[in-house]
Short mmCIF file of all heavy atoms in Angstrom, two decimals:
data_model
loop_
_atom_site.label_atom_id
_atom_site.label_comp_id
_atom_site.label_asym_id
_atom_site.label_seq_id
_atom_site.Cartn_x
_atom_site.Cartn_y
_atom_site.Cartn_z
N MET D 1 11.78 -7.94 7.88
CA MET D 1 10.79 -8.09 7.01
C MET D 1 10.97 -7.03 5.89
O MET D 1 11.22 -5.86 6.10
CB MET D 1 9.29 -7.90 7.50
CG MET D 1 8.24 -7.90 6.51
SD MET D 1 6.60 -7.44 7.09
CE MET D 1 6.29 -8.68 8.19
N LYS D 2 10.87 -7.40 4.54
CA LYS D 2 11.06 -6.52 3.43
C LYS D 2 9.80 -5.71 3.31
O LYS D 2 8.66 -6.27 3.51
CB LYS D 2 11.28 -7.35 2.22
CG LYS D 2 11.55 -6.51 1.00
CD LYS D 2 11.73 -7.37 -0.22
CE LYS D 2 12.01 -6.59 -1.49
NZ LYS D 2 10.84 -6.16 -2.19
N THR D 3 9.93 -4.40 2.95
CA THR D 3 8.74 -3.52 2.76
C THR D 3 8.85 -3.05 1.33
O THR D 3 9.84 -3.03 0.77
CB THR D 3 8.74 -2.40 3.70
OG1 THR D 3 9.86 -1.62 3.53
CG2 THR D 3 8.58 -2.89 5.22
N ILE D 4 7.70 -2.64 0.86
CA ILE D 4 7.66 -2.17 -0.48
C ILE D 4 6.95 -0.62 -0.41
O ILE D 4 6.39 -0.25 0.58
CB ILE D 4 6.86 -2.97 -1.55
CG1 ILE D 4 5.40 -3.14 -1.01
CG2 ILE D 4 7.58 -4.31 -1.75
CD1 ILE D 4 4.50 -3.93 -2.06
N SER D 5 7.19 0.11 -1.44
CA SER D 5 6.58 1.50 -1.49
C SER D 5 5.21 1.43 -2.11
O SER D 5 4.68 0.36 -2.55
CB SER D 5 7.55 2.35 -2.46
OG SER D 5 7.40 1.85 -3.74
N VAL D 6 4.51 2.57 -1.96
CA VAL D 6 3.21 2.70 -2.51
C VAL D 6 3.27 2.48 -4.06
O VAL D 6 2.37 1.69 -4.61
CB VAL D 6 2.61 4.07 -2.17
CG1 VAL D 6 1.41 4.43 -3.02
CG2 VAL D 6 2.41 4.26 -0.66
N LYS D 7 4.31 3.00 -4.66
CA LYS D 7 4.44 2.78 -6.10
C LYS D 7 4.52 1.35 -6.50
O LYS D 7 3.86 0.79 -7.42
CB LYS D 7 5.61 3.66 -6.60
CG LYS D 7 5.78 3.50 -8.15
CD LYS D 7 6.90 4.29 -8.61
CE LYS D 7 7.03 4.29 -10.11
NZ LYS D 7 8.07 5.27 -10.58
N GLU D 8 5.35 0.67 -5.72
CA GLU D 8 5.60 -0.80 -6.04
C GLU D 8 4.28 -1.55 -5.77
O GLU D 8 4.02 -2.53 -6.59
CB GLU D 8 6.64 -1.35 -5.18
CG GLU D 8 8.08 -0.82 -5.60
CD GLU D 8 9.09 -1.09 -4.59
OE1 GLU D 8 8.87 -1.14 -3.36
OE2 GLU D 8 10.26 -1.40 -5.00
N ALA D 9 3.54 -1.31 -4.73
CA ALA D 9 2.36 -1.97 -4.37
C ALA D 9 1.25 -1.60 -5.59
O ALA D 9 0.56 -2.57 -6.06
CB ALA D 9 1.78 -1.59 -3.05
N ALA D 10 1.29 -0.41 -5.96
CA ALA D 10 0.26 -0.07 -6.96
C ALA D 10 0.54 -0.75 -8.33
O ALA D 10 -0.44 -1.30 -8.95
CB ALA D 10 0.34 1.54 -7.20
N GLU D 11 1.77 -0.93 -8.64
CA GLU D 11 2.17 -1.76 -9.89
C GLU D 11 1.73 -3.11 -9.67
O GLU D 11 1.26 -3.73 -10.61
CB GLU D 11 3.66 -1.53 -10.20
CG GLU D 11 3.93 -0.16 -10.64
CD GLU D 11 5.48 0.11 -10.71
OE1 GLU D 11 6.23 -0.81 -10.47
OE2 GLU D 11 5.86 1.12 -11.12
N ALA D 12 2.06 -3.80 -8.53
CA ALA D 12 1.71 -5.16 -8.36
C ALA D 12 0.30 -5.37 -8.32
O ALA D 12 -0.15 -6.46 -8.85
CB ALA D 12 2.41 -5.55 -7.02
N TRP D 13 -0.47 -4.57 -7.70
CA TRP D 13 -1.94 -4.72 -7.54
C TRP D 13 -2.80 -4.16 -8.72
O TRP D 13 -4.00 -4.30 -8.75
CB TRP D 13 -2.37 -4.19 -6.22
CG TRP D 13 -1.78 -4.75 -5.05
CD1 TRP D 13 -1.24 -6.08 -4.86
CD2 TRP D 13 -1.70 -4.28 -3.75
NE1 TRP D 13 -0.77 -6.36 -3.69
CE2 TRP D 13 -1.05 -5.20 -2.88
CE3 TRP D 13 -2.12 -3.10 -3.22
CZ2 TRP D 13 -0.78 -4.97 -1.53
CZ3 TRP D 13 -1.80 -2.87 -1.76
CH2 TRP D 13 -1.13 -3.72 -1.08
N LYS D 14 -2.10 -3.44 -9.63
CA LYS D 14 -2.70 -2.84 -10.77
C LYS D 14 -3.83 -1.83 -10.37
O LYS D 14 -4.91 -1.86 -10.87
CB LYS D 14 -3.29 -3.98 -11.74
CG LYS D 14 -2.18 -4.67 -12.25
CD LYS D 14 -2.55 -5.76 -13.30
CE LYS D 14 -1.54 -6.56 -13.95
NZ LYS D 14 -0.37 -6.84 -13.20
N ILE D 15 -3.48 -1.03 -9.47
CA ILE D 15 -4.39 0.00 -8.98
C ILE D 15 -3.48 1.39 -8.89
O ILE D 15 -2.29 1.33 -8.99
CB ILE D 15 -5.08 -0.11 -7.60
CG1 ILE D 15 -4.09 -0.49 -6.57
CG2 ILE D 15 -6.17 -1.39 -7.91
CD1 ILE D 15 -4.78 -0.60 -5.19
N THR D 16 -4.03 2.49 -8.65
CA THR D 16 -3.40 3.73 -8.60
C THR D 16 -2.61 3.89 -7.30
O THR D 16 -2.94 3.33 -6.25
CB THR D 16 -4.27 4.96 -8.90
OG1 THR D 16 -5.26 5.05 -7.68
CG2 THR D 16 -5.04 4.91 -10.12
N GLU D 17 -1.54 4.71 -7.27
CA GLU D 17 -0.91 5.05 -6.08
C GLU D 17 -1.74 5.73 -5.11
O GLU D 17 -1.58 5.47 -3.80
CB GLU D 17 0.34 5.91 -6.42
CG GLU D 17 1.44 5.15 -7.18
CD GLU D 17 2.63 6.07 -7.55
OE1 GLU D 17 2.98 6.82 -6.67
OE2 GLU D 17 3.03 5.88 -8.71
N ARG D 18 -2.65 6.63 -5.65
CA ARG D 18 -3.43 7.26 -4.74
C ARG D 18 -4.36 6.36 -3.92
O ARG D 18 -4.68 6.51 -2.79
CB ARG D 18 -4.29 8.40 -5.48
CG ARG D 18 -5.17 9.12 -4.70
CD ARG D 18 -5.80 10.22 -5.59
NE ARG D 18 -6.82 10.98 -4.83
CZ ARG D 18 -6.60 12.15 -4.23
NH1 ARG D 18 -5.45 12.70 -4.54
NH2 ARG D 18 -7.48 12.80 -3.55
N ARG D 19 -4.93 5.33 -4.56
CA ARG D 19 -5.78 4.32 -4.01
C ARG D 19 -4.94 3.51 -2.90
O ARG D 19 -5.57 3.23 -1.82
CB ARG D 19 -6.32 3.47 -5.09
CG ARG D 19 -7.36 2.32 -4.54
CD ARG D 19 -8.59 2.85 -4.07
NE ARG D 19 -9.49 1.85 -3.61
CZ ARG D 19 -10.33 1.95 -2.65
NH1 ARG D 19 -10.50 3.12 -2.09
NH2 ARG D 19 -11.06 0.95 -2.38
N VAL D 20 -3.76 3.26 -3.14
CA VAL D 20 -2.96 2.46 -2.26
C VAL D 20 -2.82 3.34 -1.00
O VAL D 20 -3.02 2.78 0.09
CB VAL D 20 -1.61 2.06 -2.92
CG1 VAL D 20 -0.70 1.36 -1.70
CG2 VAL D 20 -1.78 1.04 -3.98
N ALA D 21 -2.49 4.62 -1.22
CA ALA D 21 -2.19 5.50 0.01
C ALA D 21 -3.48 5.61 0.78
O ALA D 21 -3.42 5.65 1.94
CB ALA D 21 -1.75 6.77 -0.54
N MET D 22 -4.63 5.67 0.11
CA MET D 22 -5.88 5.84 0.82
C MET D 22 -6.13 4.47 1.63
O MET D 22 -6.63 4.64 2.79
CB MET D 22 -7.03 5.98 -0.23
CG MET D 22 -8.35 6.31 0.51
SD MET D 22 -9.71 6.83 -0.56
CE MET D 22 -9.27 6.43 -2.21
N LEU D 23 -5.89 3.45 1.06
CA LEU D 23 -6.11 2.15 1.77
C LEU D 23 -5.20 2.05 3.01
O LEU D 23 -5.59 1.59 4.01
CB LEU D 23 -5.89 0.97 0.83
CG LEU D 23 -6.84 0.78 -0.31
CD1 LEU D 23 -6.34 -0.26 -1.29
CD2 LEU D 23 -8.21 0.35 0.26
N CYS D 24 -4.02 2.61 2.94
CA CYS D 24 -3.07 2.63 4.00
C CYS D 24 -3.62 3.44 5.12
O CYS D 24 -3.70 3.16 6.31
CB CYS D 24 -1.63 3.14 3.50
SG CYS D 24 -0.73 2.02 2.55
N SER D 25 -4.02 4.76 4.75
CA SER D 25 -4.52 5.62 5.66
C SER D 25 -5.76 5.14 6.48
O SER D 25 -6.05 5.56 7.62
CB SER D 25 -4.63 7.03 5.08
OG SER D 25 -5.79 7.09 4.23
N ARG D 26 -6.63 4.45 5.77
CA ARG D 26 -7.77 3.90 6.33
C ARG D 26 -7.56 2.62 7.16
O ARG D 26 -8.48 2.03 7.78
CB ARG D 26 -8.80 3.71 5.36
CG ARG D 26 -9.28 5.01 4.76
CD ARG D 26 -10.41 4.85 3.75
NE ARG D 26 -10.90 6.06 3.30
CZ ARG D 26 -11.78 6.23 2.28
NH1 ARG D 26 -12.27 5.14 1.68
NH2 ARG D 26 -12.15 7.38 1.84
N GLY D 27 -6.25 2.18 7.27
CA GLY D 27 -5.93 0.97 7.94
C GLY D 27 -6.41 -0.32 7.21
O GLY D 27 -6.56 -1.49 7.93
N ARG D 28 -6.61 -0.35 5.94
CA ARG D 28 -7.09 -1.48 5.27
C ARG D 28 -5.83 -2.47 4.85
O ARG D 28 -6.16 -3.58 4.47
CB ARG D 28 -7.73 -1.13 4.01
CG ARG D 28 -9.02 -0.34 4.16
CD ARG D 28 -10.30 -1.09 4.50
NE ARG D 28 -10.51 -2.15 3.56
CZ ARG D 28 -11.09 -2.12 2.36
NH1 ARG D 28 -11.59 -0.94 1.97
NH2 ARG D 28 -11.29 -3.21 1.64
N ILE D 29 -4.65 -2.02 4.98
CA ILE D 29 -3.48 -2.82 4.72
C ILE D 29 -2.74 -3.14 6.02
O ILE D 29 -2.12 -2.21 6.52
CB ILE D 29 -2.61 -2.16 3.58
CG1 ILE D 29 -3.31 -1.82 2.36
CG2 ILE D 29 -1.36 -3.07 3.36
CD1 ILE D 29 -2.57 -1.03 1.40
N PRO D 30 -2.86 -4.29 6.47
CA PRO D 30 -2.27 -4.64 7.80
C PRO D 30 -0.69 -4.45 7.70
O PRO D 30 -0.08 -4.92 6.84
CB PRO D 30 -2.61 -6.16 8.09
CG PRO D 30 -3.87 -6.29 7.06
CD PRO D 30 -3.70 -5.48 5.92
N GLY D 31 -0.22 -3.85 8.72
CA GLY D 31 1.27 -3.65 8.76
C GLY D 31 1.81 -2.53 8.06
O GLY D 31 2.99 -2.18 8.19
N ALA D 32 1.01 -1.66 7.33
CA ALA D 32 1.45 -0.59 6.64
C ALA D 32 1.83 0.58 7.70
O ALA D 32 1.13 0.80 8.64
CB ALA D 32 0.36 -0.05 5.61
N LYS D 33 3.02 1.07 7.44
CA LYS D 33 3.44 2.16 8.35
C LYS D 33 3.75 3.43 7.73
O LYS D 33 4.23 3.47 6.60
CB LYS D 33 4.76 1.68 9.06
CG LYS D 33 4.57 0.39 9.84
CD LYS D 33 4.64 0.59 11.23
CE LYS D 33 4.75 -0.75 11.98
NZ LYS D 33 3.68 -0.97 12.78
N LYS D 34 3.43 4.61 8.25
CA LYS D 34 3.74 5.92 7.68
C LYS D 34 5.18 6.18 8.07
O LYS D 34 5.60 6.10 9.27
CB LYS D 34 2.80 7.04 8.40
CG LYS D 34 2.97 8.38 7.83
CD LYS D 34 2.04 8.55 6.77
CE LYS D 34 2.01 10.00 6.35
NZ LYS D 34 1.18 10.36 5.30
N LEU D 35 5.96 6.53 7.02
CA LEU D 35 7.29 6.92 7.23
C LEU D 35 7.64 8.21 6.59
O LEU D 35 7.66 8.32 5.33
CB LEU D 35 8.22 5.78 6.64
CG LEU D 35 9.74 5.92 6.90
CD1 LEU D 35 10.05 5.78 8.31
CD2 LEU D 35 10.47 4.87 6.19
N GLY D 36 7.69 9.18 7.33
CA GLY D 36 7.75 10.63 6.78
C GLY D 36 6.50 10.93 6.08
O GLY D 36 5.47 10.87 6.68
N LYS D 37 6.49 11.29 4.83
CA LYS D 37 5.36 11.64 4.02
C LYS D 37 4.78 10.46 3.32
O LYS D 37 3.66 10.43 2.74
CB LYS D 37 5.71 12.73 3.07
CG LYS D 37 5.93 14.15 3.65
CD LYS D 37 6.19 15.11 2.63
CE LYS D 37 6.36 16.47 3.32
NZ LYS D 37 6.55 17.53 2.32
N GLY D 38 5.57 9.34 3.36
CA GLY D 38 5.07 8.18 2.50
C GLY D 38 4.77 7.06 3.38
O GLY D 38 4.81 7.07 4.64
N TRP D 39 4.31 5.92 2.75
CA TRP D 39 4.00 4.72 3.43
C TRP D 39 4.86 3.56 3.00
O TRP D 39 5.40 3.56 1.87
CB TRP D 39 2.57 4.29 2.99
CG TRP D 39 1.47 5.13 3.53
CD1 TRP D 39 0.98 6.33 2.95
CD2 TRP D 39 0.84 5.05 4.84
NE1 TRP D 39 -0.08 6.82 3.71
CE2 TRP D 39 -0.04 6.11 4.90
CE3 TRP D 39 0.90 4.15 5.84
CZ2 TRP D 39 -0.91 6.23 5.96
CZ3 TRP D 39 0.13 4.35 6.98
CH2 TRP D 39 -0.81 5.30 7.05
N ARG D 40 5.21 2.65 4.01
CA ARG D 40 5.93 1.53 3.63
C ARG D 40 4.98 0.23 4.02
O ARG D 40 4.30 0.19 4.98
CB ARG D 40 7.18 1.35 4.60
CG ARG D 40 8.11 2.40 4.38
CD ARG D 40 8.57 2.51 2.90
NE ARG D 40 9.31 1.40 2.48
CZ ARG D 40 9.73 1.15 1.26
NH1 ARG D 40 9.64 2.01 0.37
NH2 ARG D 40 10.42 0.11 0.98
N ILE D 41 4.88 -0.64 2.99
CA ILE D 41 3.93 -1.70 3.07
C ILE D 41 4.68 -3.07 3.18
O ILE D 41 5.69 -3.21 2.36
CB ILE D 41 3.08 -1.69 1.83
CG1 ILE D 41 2.30 -0.35 1.75
CG2 ILE D 41 2.08 -2.81 1.68
CD1 ILE D 41 1.78 0.09 0.24
N PRO D 42 4.21 -3.99 4.03
CA PRO D 42 4.89 -5.28 4.12
C PRO D 42 4.91 -5.91 2.68
O PRO D 42 3.93 -5.90 1.90
CB PRO D 42 4.05 -5.99 4.96
CG PRO D 42 3.29 -5.06 5.88
CD PRO D 42 3.12 -3.88 4.94
N GLY D 43 6.08 -6.59 2.33
CA GLY D 43 6.29 -7.12 1.00
C GLY D 43 5.20 -8.26 0.71
O GLY D 43 5.01 -8.55 -0.47
N ASP D 44 4.71 -8.90 1.82
CA ASP D 44 3.85 -10.05 1.64
C ASP D 44 2.37 -9.59 1.72
O ASP D 44 1.49 -10.48 1.81
CB ASP D 44 4.19 -11.21 2.63
CG ASP D 44 4.14 -10.74 4.00
OD1 ASP D 44 3.85 -9.64 4.32
OD2 ASP D 44 4.22 -11.61 4.91
N ALA D 45 2.10 -8.31 1.86
CA ALA D 45 0.76 -7.92 1.93
C ALA D 45 -0.03 -8.22 0.78
O ALA D 45 0.47 -8.09 -0.48
CB ALA D 45 0.68 -6.29 2.18
N GLU D 46 -1.25 -8.56 0.82
CA GLU D 46 -2.20 -8.74 -0.34
C GLU D 46 -3.16 -7.60 -0.58
O GLU D 46 -3.41 -6.83 0.27
CB GLU D 46 -3.05 -9.95 0.03
CG GLU D 46 -2.21 -11.27 0.12
CD GLU D 46 -3.03 -12.51 0.32
OE1 GLU D 46 -4.21 -12.50 -0.08
OE2 GLU D 46 -2.44 -13.55 0.66
N ASN D 47 -3.56 -7.58 -1.82
CA ASN D 47 -4.48 -6.50 -2.13
C ASN D 47 -5.71 -6.62 -1.37
O ASN D 47 -6.37 -7.53 -1.39
CB ASN D 47 -4.78 -6.57 -3.66
CG ASN D 47 -5.68 -5.43 -4.17
OD1 ASN D 47 -6.29 -4.80 -3.43
ND2 ASN D 47 -5.72 -5.37 -5.48
N PRO D 48 -6.03 -5.55 -0.55
CA PRO D 48 -7.29 -5.67 0.28
C PRO D 48 -8.58 -5.47 -0.43
O PRO D 48 -9.67 -5.72 0.10
CB PRO D 48 -6.98 -4.50 1.28
CG PRO D 48 -6.31 -3.55 0.55
CD PRO D 48 -5.28 -4.26 -0.32
N GLN D 49 -8.47 -5.07 -1.75
CA GLN D 49 -9.68 -5.03 -2.45
C GLN D 49 -10.23 -6.39 -3.00
O GLN D 49 -11.33 -6.34 -3.49
CB GLN D 49 -9.48 -4.08 -3.70
CG GLN D 49 -9.15 -2.64 -3.21
CD GLN D 49 -9.06 -1.80 -4.44
OE1 GLN D 49 -8.26 -2.03 -5.34
NE2 GLN D 49 -9.70 -0.63 -4.29
N ILE D 50 -9.45 -7.37 -2.90
CA ILE D 50 -9.90 -8.66 -3.33
C ILE D 50 -10.81 -9.39 -2.47
O ILE D 50 -10.53 -9.41 -1.27
CB ILE D 50 -8.66 -9.54 -3.79
CG1 ILE D 50 -7.98 -8.91 -4.94
CG2 ILE D 50 -8.97 -11.02 -4.12
CD1 ILE D 50 -6.57 -9.63 -5.27
#
C-alpha cells in the first residue's frame, strides 16, 4: 500500500500539517503509523474532518 507524508496529506486536504499530525496522534486517521518522528498515512485515506 502506498503511503503519504503529513505534508502531502495537508496539501491534499487543504489543512495545516500540524492539524494532520494531531489527527494522526488522536487516532482519527485509520491506518496512520508513527515512523520515527513523523507519520505515514495510507494513500487512500480520506479527510476525517469531512
Side-chain angles (χ1 to χ4, degrees):
M1 175 191 293
K2 181 179 183 272
T3 61
I4 59 174
S5 67
V6 169
K7 182 176 183 175
E8 292 168 322
E11 290 172 358
W13 298 339
K14 297 185 179 30
I15 57 176
T16 65
E17 292 178 39
R18 183 176 176 101
R19 180 70 178 149
V20 174
M22 185 175 14
L23 291 168
C24 289
S25 68
R26 292 183 178 174
R28 298 275 312 275
I29 302 174
K33 303 249 187 241
K34 183 91 171 179
L35 186 63
K37 292 183 179 182
W39 288 93
R40 297 304 298 176
I41 301 164
D44 59 352
E46 295 184 19
N47 185 345
Q49 294 184 311
I50 296 176

